[in-house]
Structure formats: structure tokens, C-alpha cells
Amino acid sequence: MFVAPLAVIARARIVEPMLRIFVPPNLPATAPKDSIALRVDLDLPPAPAMPAPEVLPALALLQKWLGSSSAPPPRLFLQVNRSQMSALVTALRGQPLFAWANAPDRSIAWAGAELAGVSTFLSGQPAASAAASVGNSPTGKPAVTTPPRRPMPAAGRMNVDGSEHFLAITLPHRDHPTYARALELLKAWSFLPEPSNGKWWQRDRHKTLSFLAEMRPRLETDFGATFTPGFLQRTAHVAPAQLEATATEAGGAYDVTIGLRAEGATDSELRTALLTGRPYAEAGGKVILLGPETLAKLSKAQQALSGDPSTPLAPRQSRRIPAARAAEADELLAEAAPGFQPPETWKARSSALKQISSLKPAPLPERLDERLRPYQRLGVAWLWHLFQHDLGGILADEMGLGKTLQALALLLAARGHGSALVVCPASLLENWRREAERFAPDLRVFVHHGGQRLASARDVLPFDLVITSYGTLVRDESLFQEAALGCVIADEAQHLKNRRSQNARALRALHARGRFLLTGTPLENSLDDLRSLFDFILPGYIAAPSPGARGTDRAWFDDRLKAQAAPYILRRTKAAVAPELPPRIEQVVWCELTPEQAALYRQTQEAGERALIDLEAGGASEGQVRFAALTQLLRLRQICCDPRLVKQDDVDSGKLETLRELLAESLDDGHRILLFSQFTSLLELLREELERQEIAYCYLDGSMPTAARQEQVDRFQGSDECPVFLLSLKAGGTGLNLTGADTVVHYDPWWNPAAELQATDRAHRIGQNRTVTSYKLIASGTVEERVLGLQAEKRALLEAVFDASDAAAAKLSLADLKSLLKSQDGAHGPHAL
């Protein structure tokens, strides 16, 4: 025994003890498990000196738990349960002998009979019975049996106490998943720890209210905090501001108001708080918290409604918006102010556009309705809904899904609401006339073109449908401006993508109740394409970015454009609505240049790079450099196709040799082929090749008149005598039905995949019952290979716009051009050489 008998103690000299007990920092986690690991430092005085009386009970407990009569080592480690730890705390009550193991130089403070940060976790067996319970095991060591466990208060979570004037927060225990973040949060907000009670304090009223304004909701959602009844009672008059929105009809528009709802506070008091940057306002004995998330939602909504990202935040703002914006604003306001209840007319305009399947069918003749596929019937209902509400839209279904048929069905439904005008490329006039005759024979149709022209606006009235070309519309703009039109439909809307063009200006000048566009590619180059289209279908609906908008400001306008455009674009894919279509297989065929062709490519590429460097060094403008780069790019592409295009008649083409093999194999297997190129001069060379091989063919380019064009299409579709159809990419990429073919060959790639896809869809469309294979002939290691990378970017852009999610588009920049012209991987010329 290292504790002497009482008689000896009475005669002994008493010295100050050297006893320190180190408590583990993970006590909140280990105490409920009754596995508290203690470190005890002892420095007992030699006999006959005795330790101080105040430590003797603790020494007696340690001696009993160790089960040894010999003197203990100067440092020992032992594991105790909550009852044993509670007994030790009771034995050393008020003594500065406890310290945290991770802060050994600072004693743990006492709060009366409780050891701060320790006693609260020792809620197992009562301390009074601890001494009796220890040493009852057969070995005399701490008992194996432990008292019943019960959860710690609030499961060790963060606990908040205080008022509007101060906060006292208890951190979660160290093993809690939110502990590190909670500690970092309190430090960031200048909370200070109080060792005596283990709480973190904030005693500044302004900081307290600022903290509650920003963090009050997150304390529960992010940290799982609990709040004392006293805190809830003392802060009953402190409440966050809410958002509210209203909308009322104002003629053909709506007056929309969105702002803060704060009981007892005026807009003036709220405005003062916002202007001074104070995140709370006080009025009538109440404190209104202005949380950053609430203000961010309010600012976003106010900027969107005003169409200006620089709109200052206000406690309340009212705007008059056109009816066309109801669908966009409905989603915006419902997100910002969940209790928003718009007028019934607002709901009628907007909700149906979100749930197209709930639209009422358009009134159609039974014979036509029976011919429509389900997705086409929905498309017509969507068009009819927009027309009834004096709105416009873009039908952007994939090529081959019957946009023309759906448009004609709309015109039948809208018959009696004024004459309709269809504007299309001249090459499609006959196609529209035939489709109208086939699907809507009841419509009185007039083709206004060439020598057959209406003399005045009055002459339009007898006809249900007038079909004209873009060029003719420009020439007869005044005639159609004066006409009382019920509906205008512009086909192949890429003709409007330059808003400054005569086509776009002439269309915008028309007056009609409904304005619609048909296009499989509403965006090809950039979001400016989309802006130009909406200038026609919903004039004034899309806010144009300010001329100097750059960076984040420009991105803001682009994001708003996508959100506003989404309700008025209907896009369906073949995979989604026409699964019965046979698959389309796309394959890249890599072509190796001949040695002479590769040498010519390398020489031209090096000369082009030097020329650009010399131009820039000579101070040429960006426009001059860009023109030179485009010229060099054209030469390289032509060399990849056939060196004869650059007057090198003695250099063979590796790509032409690949085409010969592909044609021979495809024709032997009975396939019929559409062969596309962007260069009409190359088509002439391919004609010579087909004639040399005595292969019958049809031919179409942009210079051909409409009648000759239709003759070639009918010839190819009507019989199998011509297995090959040569087409220029742009002339053959729109308005044609060529389901007689099952193989498509793109001889030379274009950077825009939408144009290539349109061309391929001449064959892959409703009516096709064979698998369509699309081949791209690519000269490996050349500029053509780099074009594939640009196509991937553009394809992602198109998908993003149709999904109304993201569309960060960019035109082919000077940097893009330079990148295309540079040698690949640091080498000069094709990598295969």
C-alpha cells in the first residue's frame, strides 16, 4: 500500500502533491462507451512525507483500481468507465488537477461541483456509488460490468442559447461529422470560447443579429443544431423576411410586383437597411432578418424582370411585362416566392407550355387528324395554343419528323382567322405546294413567285395560304406589310439568323397574329442566332445585351435568353418519338494522302503559317489576318479533297481513291447513295468520275431552278436506275425527302455538324425502312481531323440549347482558325507521313 495508515499520516510531514490527470479530447465519444482512457502523472514524496489530504481520496481510488500494493509508476495509463471517472471528479472537486490531453498546460475550469466540459458526459451510474462499484471483479481491477447507457443530451449536436443580444453555442462533440465545420464557422464569426462552461460566446448585438440573419436556417439544415427553450422564447420577436409576389392583368400585359414581406416594417425602413448593408431591420419592437439567400433570390428575380443585370436591389419592385413573358416569369416567381398565385389567364398562357401533354387538341378535319402521329398531334396542339394566345414559337423537331405537316395542320385549325403566309427558300416552293395539296386540299393556295404575283394586299384575301420565297418577300415587302395576315410561317429559319439581313427585316415588318418558325437547327453559330429568330416570332420579348456587355454581364444575358427561349421552342428527336425508324450508323473513314498530295499539303501549310506571321508583324488588322487565314484554310481543305481544285492536275487524291473503293463496295451490295460536298467545283470532278465509271447519277446544286431541282428528286425517288445522287451540302441539306437512299457520304467535313446532320436526314426520315449509314471521309493528320473537334463542340452546343440548360457558344474565332492551320503535334503536314 502506498497510502500510509491514519496514525502514520497524523505524525508525517505533509508536502504538496504532484498529481495531474489528463482527460482525452474525444471524451464525448468514449464516455457513452464507458472506455475513457486517462493518463495520470504522479510524483509521490518519499517517506515519511505524505501527500496532501485533498488528494488522498483520489489516490485511494487509483490504488484500488490498479489492484497493487506497490508504488505506482510516475506515469500510468488506465481505462475507466463513466462511474469511475465521476468518482474521480468528486474526489478531486475544486482541485486544478485535471487538464485536456491536447492542452496539458491549462487546467480544466470548475463550475461549482461540475468539471467544465467533462461532468456533462458522465451521466451513467451515480458518482456516489462509483467507489462501491469498483474493484468488484475477481481480479480486483475495474469491474467488467458497466452501468446502463443512455444517449448524450441532443446526441452531442450543436446547441444554441442566447437572445438578440448574445449567443452561447455549445459545439458538437469532436467525433460528430459537423464538428470541424462548426468550429471553423464560430471562429470566422469571432465567437470566443469560455473555458469555465465549454461554450462559445458572441456578446456583440450587431454581430449576433448579423449571424442569425445569415446562419439561422443553416444551423438546423447544415449542422443539425438544437435551440434551447430560453433562446426560442427570447427571440420570438426576431423573424426572417419572406418574399412575396403578385401579378394583375393590365390589358394585354401584366403588372408584376415582387418584394419583401416583413410584419410591421415599411419599405422605407427596409430600404434603409439594404442601403446601409445592415442585414436586419427594426420596427415596432420586431427585428426583421434580411438573410443573404433571400436577398439573392429577390435580386435575381428583380434583375430578370427588368431585363438588366445592373438593376439595384429594392425592398419592393413593380414591372409591367408582356403576356409572352408569363411562362418565363411563372417559373422565376414560383421559385422565389412559393406562395405566388397568378391570375387565371396567366396560368392559361404559361402552365400549358410546361405540360404539353395536357394541351387541348387543335380542331382538325378527321381525315387529317387520323394521319397524324401522336407526337405530331401534340406539336399541332402546341402551335394552336400559342396561336390562340397571340404568341409565336419555333418548331425545332429533328429533320424528317414532319414539321411541314404539323404547320399545315395548324393552318387548317386557324382557317378563318385571316390569310396565312408561308415563306421558304425558292427551292422549297414546289415542295410546300405539293404537301398542301396532299395533306390540306381544302386550303385555297397561291404560290406568289416569278411571273405569278399578286398585285395588291387586297388580292391576298381570297386565299387561305400564300406561299412565297424569301427573295420575293423582300421585293414585295410593301404588299405583304399591308395584308391582313392571320399567321406567318417561315421555313428553314437559318435564313433569318442575320438580323440585319433583308430577309429578317422583311419578315419582322409583317403584321400577323401568330408567327412561327420551322427549323431543325435554331442555333448554328452562336446565341445571337436565337436572338434574331425571336426578334421575329416575339418582337421585344428578348432583351438585347448592351453593346459593351462583356464577361459576366454578357453571360447573364445569355442565361436569360436560354430561360426565356425554352418555353417557345419545341424539339423532339427521332429516338424519342419515332423509335420504329431503322437505326442511323455514323462512321468516319480515314483517308491517307498520297505522297505527292502530302508534300503539297505540307508546303501550302508552311507557306500559310509564314504569311500569317508576316501579316501580323506588318501591323495588319484582325480582319485582314482573318481573311488570310480563311483563304489558307480553304486551300488546305481543297488539297485534302483533290489537288486539282488548286490547279495541281498531276497530283493524285488519296481521298478520291478511297471513294472509289467505297462506291464499288456499296453499289455491289445494292445500296443507293447520297454524295455531299460543299464545293460545286468538286462535284464537277465527281461527275466526271461517275461518267468515267459509267455510273448513272442525279445532280443538284444551288444554281439549279426549282423545276429542274424537283425533276432530279423525283427521278431519284421514282426509280432505281440512278444509284448515286450528287448534292451540294447547302442546296441538298434542306427540304428534300430522299428516302430512296440508304447510304450518305460526306466527301468533305464542315465545321458545323448541324448542316451535315440535316443532309443525312434527307434519307433518315419518316418513310425510311432501311438502316441508314453515314460516312465521313476524313484526311488523317490534316485540318479535316481538327474540324471533327470543332464539330463535337458545336454538337454539344446544339444539345444544350434544346435542353435549355447551357449553351456557351462561340463563332469560329481567329484563334480557332490559327489552330486549324497549325501543324499537328508540332510536325509539318499529315502525321501518317
Side-chain angles (χ1 to χ4, degrees):
M1 295 286 291
F2 61 88
V3 177
L6 292 179
V8 175
I9 293 176
R11 300 191 303 268
R13 178 174 57 88
I14 298 176
V15 299
E16 291 297 320
M18 292 295 292
L19 173 65
R20 294 283 283 176
I21 300 173
F22 298 97
V23 183
N26 64 345
L27 177 69
T30 59
K33 302 175 183 177
D34 285 319
S35 58
I36 306 168
L38 295 180
R39 188 188 103 195
V40 181
D41 286 358
L42 279 171
D43 186 8
L44 295 176
M50 295 296 294
E54 57 265 32
V55 301
L56 289 178
L59 294 176
L61 289 174
L62 292 172
Q63 180 182 357
K64 184 182 292 189
W65 297 341
L66 290 171
S68 173
S69 59
S70 60
R75 174 169 293 180
L76 59 93
F77 298 87
L78 69 161
Q79 181 170 302
V80 299
N81 58 35
R82 282 174 290 172
S83 294
Q84 293 168 322
M85 185 67 188
S86 181
L88 198 56
V89 169
T90 300
L92 295 173
R93 177 178 177 180
Q95 299 297 317
L97 301 178
F98 292 90
W100 294 105
N102 59 348
D105 297 329
R106 187 171 59 196
S107 296
I108 300 176
W110 288 88
E114 293 193 348
L115 189 61
V118 175
S119 296
T120 187
F121 298 105
L122 305 179
S123 55
Q125 186 175 344
S129 64
S133 68
V134 298
N136 292 332
S137 69
T139 61
K141 294 185 178 182
V144 175
T145 58
T146 59
R149 299 178 185 176
R150 63 178 181 177
M152 292 179 294
R157 295 182 294 172
M158 176 189 285
N159 184 259
V160 181
D161 193 9
S163 69
E164 67 178 278
H165 298 280
F166 75 96
L167 290 173
I169 297 180
T170 303
L171 285 173
H173 62 68
R174 291 175 180 269
D175 284 353
H176 196 282
T178 65
Y179 174 80
R181 289 190 296 116
L183 178 60
E184 182 180 356
L185 172 70
L186 297 188
K187 288 181 177 179
W189 281 87
S190 302
F191 280 71
L192 296 176
E194 178 58 58
S196 64
N197 55 26
K199 297 181 179 181
W200 288 71
W201 290 78
Q202 175 57 261
R203 293 182 170 89
D204 182 282
R205 182 175 185 271
H206 173 71
K207 290 182 179 179
T208 293
L209 290 174
S210 298
F211 178 82
L212 292 175
E214 181 166 341
M215 297 305 303
R216 177 65 172 84
R218 292 182 54 195
L219 291 177
E220 291 181 271
T221 59
D222 293 4
F223 296 94
T226 59
F227 301 86
T228 67
F231 171 82
L232 296 176
Q233 181 180 1
R234 290 187 292 270
T235 59
H237 65 293
V238 179
Q242 304 294 327
L243 293 182
E244 62 180 2
T246 61
T248 57
E249 288 190 71
Y254 294 94
D255 287 332
V256 177
T257 300
I258 183 168
L260 296 169
R261 183 177 74 248
E263 184 181 352
T266 65
D267 285 353
S268 176
E269 291 166 330
L270 294 172
R271 185 177 293 105
T272 299
L274 295 178
L275 291 175
T276 58
R278 194 173 68 241
Y280 58 91
E282 299 182 71
K286 295 184 178 295
V287 179
I288 299 96
L289 302 179
L290 306 176
E293 293 184 7
T294 299
L295 297 183
K297 288 182 178 180
L298 179 60
S299 178
K300 178 182 176 182
Q302 291 180 347
Q303 290 176 359
L305 289 173
S306 69
D308 184 356
S310 63
T311 298
L313 177 63
R316 190 170 306 277
Q317 187 182 91
S318 297
R319 297 280 176 179
R320 176 162 294 183
I321 64 171
R325 294 194 63 187
E328 171 228 353
D330 187 71
E331 184 173 348
L332 181 76
L333 297 175
E335 179 184 355
F340 173 61
Q341 289 295 329
E344 289 302 317
T345 55
W346 174 297
K347 294 179 182 179
R349 292 177 184 275
S350 61
S351 60
L353 294 177
K354 298 177 184 178
Q355 300 175 346
I356 186 172
S357 59
S358 66
L359 289 171
K360 294 181 180 179
L364 297 176
E366 184 176 352
R367 64 179 182 276
L368 177 61
D369 189 63
E370 291 174 350
R371 300 186 69 169
L372 295 176
R373 294 167 178 262
Y375 75 88
Q376 292 172 330
R377 201 170 286 114
L378 277 178
V380 178
W382 182 77
L383 294 169
W384 175 240
H385 172 82
L386 293 176
F387 180 80
Q388 284 183 298
H389 289 91
D390 300 331
L391 300 170
I394 301 175
L395 183 58
D397 286 345
E398 266 191 339
M399 288 294 162
L401 292 182
K403 291 191 291 294
T404 302
L405 171 57
Q406 293 173 73
L408 287 169
L410 168 66
L411 298 184
L412 277 173
R415 191 178 184 184
H417 293 274
S419 300
L421 176 68
V422 166
V423 187
C424 63
S427 58
L428 297 184
L429 290 171
E430 179 61 15
N431 181 72
W432 267 95
R433 188 194 67 78
R434 292 190 182 197
E435 294 291 277
E437 184 178 6
R438 176 186 176 191
F439 294 113
D442 294 340
L443 292 179
R444 295 165 295 176
V445 179
F446 182 82
V447 179
H448 179 91
H449 187 67
Q452 291 186 312
R453 308 264 276 277
L454 300 172
S456 68
R458 186 179 304 164
D459 295 336
V460 174
L461 296 177
F463 298 100
D464 299 313
L465 171 60
V466 175
I467 306 170
T468 192
S469 68
Y470 285 100
T472 305
L473 174 66
V474 171
R475 288 189 289 272
D476 295 345
E477 181 177 342
S478 59
L479 184 152
F480 288 106
Q481 279 183 26
E482 298 171 4
L485 299 175
C487 185
V488 175
I489 296 176
D491 192 12
E492 300 300 342
Q494 59 267 29
H495 290 266
L496 307 183
K497 290 177 182 176
N498 180 357
R499 67 183 316 278
R500 299 180 183 85
S501 68
Q502 290 181 313
N503 291 344
R505 289 173 179 169
L507 271 170
R508 289 198 301 269
L510 299 176
H511 303 285
R513 175 178 176 179
R515 297 160 170 247
F516 299 93
L517 296 175
L518 309 182
T519 177
T521 56
L523 183 146
E524 288 185 297
N525 297 325
S526 76
L527 289 172
D528 286 335
D529 293 350
L530 215 51
R531 287 189 175 91
S532 181
L533 300 186
F534 271 86
D535 281 348
F536 165 64
I537 62 170
L538 292 170
Y541 173 60
I542 300 292
S546 55
R550 297 289 185 274
T552 55
D553 282 349
R554 180 75 187 198
W556 186 91
F557 281 102
D558 288 347
D559 289 341
R560 293 304 315 141
L561 168 62
K562 287 176 282 185
Q564 290 180 275
Y568 298 103
I569 299 178
L570 181 60
R571 166 76 167 183
R572 278 81 60 85
T573 63
K574 296 192 188 88
V577 300
E580 74 279 8
L581 267 179
R584 179 179 63 210
I585 301 171
E586 295 184 357
Q587 183 175 344
V588 173
V589 179
W590 298 100
C591 309
E592 298 295 338
L593 304 186
T594 66
E596 296 82 5
Q597 188 180 13
L600 175 62
Y601 183 95
R602 182 171 60 249
Q603 293 166 5
T604 305
Q605 184 182 47
E606 291 173 348
E609 290 181 4
R610 287 195 299 271
L612 290 182
I613 292 172
D614 291 342
L615 272 174
E616 291 181 320
S621 67
E622 181 176 331
Q624 291 173 313
V625 176
R626 181 181 177 85
F627 179 79
L630 285 168
T631 301
Q632 294 298 329
L633 180 59
L634 175 62
R635 288 177 183 151
L636 291 177
R637 293 175 60 220
Q638 289 175 326
I639 292 171
C640 291
C641 292
D642 197 309
R644 288 177 291 176
L645 296 177
V646 293
K647 311 303 182 184
Q648 298 291 327
D649 295 343
D650 56 342
V651 179
D652 293 332
S653 169
K655 184 178 286 193
L656 181 58
E657 183 57 37
T658 300
L659 177 66
R660 291 184 181 121
E661 297 173 2
L662 182 61
L663 284 175
E665 181 178 346
S666 297
L667 295 178
D668 284 347
D669 290 339
H671 296 293
R672 304 188 68 209
I673 302 167
L674 304 181
L675 179 51
F676 287 96
S677 174
Q678 297 165 65
F679 305 114
T680 54
S681 53
L682 178 63
L683 291 177
E684 289 298 325
L685 296 178
L686 295 178
R687 291 177 78 168
E688 295 175 7
E689 177 67 25
L690 294 177
E691 289 171 358
R692 186 184 64 79
Q693 295 189 41
E694 298 182 348
I695 299 173
Y697 65 89
C698 296
Y699 180 89
L700 190 155
D701 65 33
S703 66
M704 298 174 64
T706 301
R709 174 191 176 96
Q710 192 63 47
E711 181 185 349
Q712 291 293 304
V713 172
D714 292 344
R715 181 184 172 204
F716 184 80
Q717 288 289 98
S719 72
D720 295 339
E721 67 174 82
C722 294
V724 179
F725 201 147
L726 293 175
L727 307 103
S728 66
L729 185 64
K730 287 191 174 182
T734 58
L736 299 179
N737 187 334
L738 298 172
T739 52
D742 63 353
T743 301
V744 178
V745 178
H746 294 283
Y747 193 90
D748 45 281
W750 197 26
W751 64 268
N752 189 342
E756 287 187 358
L757 185 61
Q758 278 188 315
T760 300
D761 283 342
R762 298 305 104 209
H764 192 248
R765 58 197 300 122
I766 299 299
Q768 179 60 269
N769 53 25
R770 293 172 294 174
T771 298
V772 175
T773 303
S774 175
Y775 297 101
K776 287 184 182 181
L777 305 188
I778 303 295
S780 58
T782 71
V783 64
E784 290 190 342
E785 189 168 342
R786 292 170 184 250
V787 166
L788 289 183
L790 279 175
Q791 286 185 333
E793 294 176 15
K794 293 296 177 180
R795 183 173 288 109
L797 167 63
L798 291 170
E799 292 171 354
V801 168
F802 292 141
D803 292 340
S805 58
D806 184 30
K811 292 183 179 179
L812 201 60
S813 66
L814 181 56
D816 292 331
L817 294 173
K818 288 182 178 179
S819 175
L820 290 171
L821 292 170
K822 286 182 179 178
S823 304
Q824 182 163 333
D825 298 328
H828 291 285
H831 60 64
L833 302 178

